[in-house]
Amino acid sequence: MRLTSFTDFGLRMLMRMAGAPERVFSTAELATEFGLPRNHLAKIIQRLAHAGIVETRRGGGGGAQLARPPQAITLGEIVRQLEVGHPIVECFAEMPGLCSLDGKCRLKFRLRAAELAFLAELDRHVLADIALENVPTGGPPLPQQTTATPRSDQA
Amino acid sequence: MRLTSFTDFGLRMLMRMAGAPERVFSTAELATEFGLPRNHLAKIIQRLAHAGIVETRRGGGGGAQLARPPQAITLGEIVRQLEVGHPIVECFAEMPGLCSLDGKCRLKFRLRAAELAFLAELDRHVLADIALENVPTGGPPLPQQTTATPRSDQA
DNA sequence: GTGAATTGGTATTTACAATGCGTATTATCA
DNA sequence: TGATAATACGCATTGTAAATACCAATTCAC
């Protein structure tokens, strides 16, 4: 039972963005803060944008920000969107008739119920509950105080 | 959110074994029935044996059978044993201090709660609930490397 | 209008799980 | 006791998904 790195990293970025919902975060900035590859994070932001969780804007000064207040985004919604295409078991893929136990399998229903229980527990919390204001201070010490200057161009 | 093939195939084999708790099933027989690689199934049986869910017996006429009645084995126990070593997210691996958000991360606790909800839902059912008596009646032609020796059906 | 910054999309490389295969060990039957 | 059948274990191979790199499209600043 494993979540993909998409979901893992996506949650971390959203936690950070929820800490400053008004700001615009570039993928380069998030990549520096978390010490993760920029291109990989950009892909996840794309997915989140398609799902309507964040809004992106190209060009200078662009980046991503939450499309809704963090109180209106449940953790379940995030995981659901980020885990698209990764069914619990192979049987759940959209391939009818592939499973040889198709009609007689009484397990499928139970697995689905367990998955719903997992997501329901996640839906009991919203993004605001796990927001973090502090920079994780991954590797090099970033003495970046809250100078309210969204200048962050370096690479 | 995905279970490994270990868990997927393990559950199928246990479903079959629960349909005839008194019988002994060889891995070759199960592999033929399900059209799955024999060696892979043997490894899963090993894991299940170590977990105390099945008991194996070597030698002629040997094989595996449930160590307890199928009413006494919950689905949660099976999944828990089969998913060992596959944490939900990387942070959950046994590597303290690796996650840069160690102290401040309020997500970890929620993910754990969701995982427990998933397993709790599974614990509401036992293996007997999903037993299947019928053989899946070999669907696709399988390129089995077994030497096509018709097994003498043991009593 | 020009240039720089930033996302969007596609292709390639890499890592890990899944699979296949061979060998050793052990128990049962003749 | 010997032959056979099955598990147990390790390693090589394969396949799929993640991770990375690169190029195109777009927007703001000047």
Side-chain angles (χ1 to χ4, degrees):
Chain A
M1 182 173 176
R2 162 178 282 173
L3 299 179
T4 64
S5 64
F6 253 65
T7 305
D8 190 2
F9 297 161
L11 280 169
R12 296 194 201 183
M13 284 191 291
L14 289 173
M15 286 168 70
R16 180 73 182 95
M17 295 170 74
E22 299 307 317
R23 271 192 58 192
V24 172
F25 289 83
S26 74
T27 56
E29 177 184 1
L30 291 167
T32 301
E33 283 190 3
F34 288 101
L36 296 172
R38 190 191 73 83
N39 293 307
H40 200 203
L41 263 45
K43 264 193 188 176
I44 302 169
I45 290 290
Q46 280 182 40
R47 180 86 65 95
L48 290 171
H50 280 123
I53 294 176
V54 305
E55 286 178 352
T56 61
R57 204 165 154 196
R58 291 184 178 181
Q65 62 180 341
L66 297 181
R68 282 170 278 153
Q71 293 83 10
I73 304 175
T74 70
L75 301 186
E77 177 184 2
I78 299 169
V79 172
R80 256 182 286 260
Q81 291 291 348
L82 253 21
E83 289 286 318
V84 166
H86 288 270
I88 294 194
V89 291
E90 198 64 30
C91 289
F92 283 16
E94 311 303 331
M95 303 192 66
L98 188 69
C99 182
S100 56
L101 308 173
D102 200 17
K104 304 180 287 295
C105 183
R106 288 180 290 183
L107 170 63
K108 199 169 178 176
F109 170 73
R110 268 110 180 163
L111 277 180
R112 185 81 76 182
E115 182 183 19
L116 291 179
F118 179 87
L119 292 170
E121 173 63 32
L122 248 33
D123 274 332
R124 294 182 55 221
H125 306 281
V126 293
L127 193 52
D129 294 330
I130 63 171
L132 54 88
E133 292 80 14
N134 297 349
V135 182
T137 69
L142 297 176
Q144 186 178 6
Q145 280 295 351
T146 58
T147 49
T149 57
R151 291 284 307 193
S152 63
D153 53 352
Q154 87 289 355
Chain B
M1 182 173 177
R2 163 176 283 172
L3 299 177
T4 64
S5 65
F6 254 65
T7 305
D8 189 2
F9 298 161
L11 280 168
R12 297 192 203 185
M13 285 192 290
L14 289 173
M15 286 167 70
R16 180 73 182 97
M17 295 169 73
E22 299 307 318
R23 270 193 57 192
V24 173
F25 289 83
S26 73
T27 56
E29 177 184 3
L30 291 168
T32 301
E33 282 191 2
F34 288 101
L36 295 173
R38 190 190 71 84
N39 293 305
H40 201 201
L41 263 44
K43 283 186 185 175
I44 301 169
I45 290 288
Q46 281 181 41
R47 181 87 63 93
L48 290 170
H50 280 125
I53 295 175
V54 305
E55 286 178 351
T56 60
R57 201 163 155 199
R58 293 184 176 182
Q65 61 180 342
L66 298 181
R68 283 169 278 153
Q71 293 84 7
I73 304 176
T74 69
L75 301 186
E77 176 184 2
I78 299 168
V79 172
R80 257 182 286 260
Q81 292 290 349
L82 254 20
E83 287 287 317
V84 165
H86 287 271
I88 294 194
V89 291
E90 198 64 30
C91 288
F92 283 16
E94 312 301 331
M95 304 192 65
L98 189 67
C99 181
S100 57
L101 307 173
D102 200 16
K104 301 181 290 293
C105 185
R106 289 179 289 181
L107 171 64
K108 198 169 178 175
F109 169 74
R110 268 115 182 160
L111 277 181
R112 185 81 75 183
E115 182 183 19
L116 292 179
F118 179 88
L119 293 169
E121 173 63 32
L122 249 34
D123 275 330
R124 296 183 53 221
H125 306 279
V126 294
L127 192 52
D129 294 329
I130 62 170
L132 53 90
E133 292 81 13
N134 296 350
V135 182
T137 68
L142 45 101
Q144 198 73 8
Q145 85 279 1
T146 51
T147 54
T149 57
R151 277 181 314 282
S152 58
D153 50 352
Q154 73 285 12

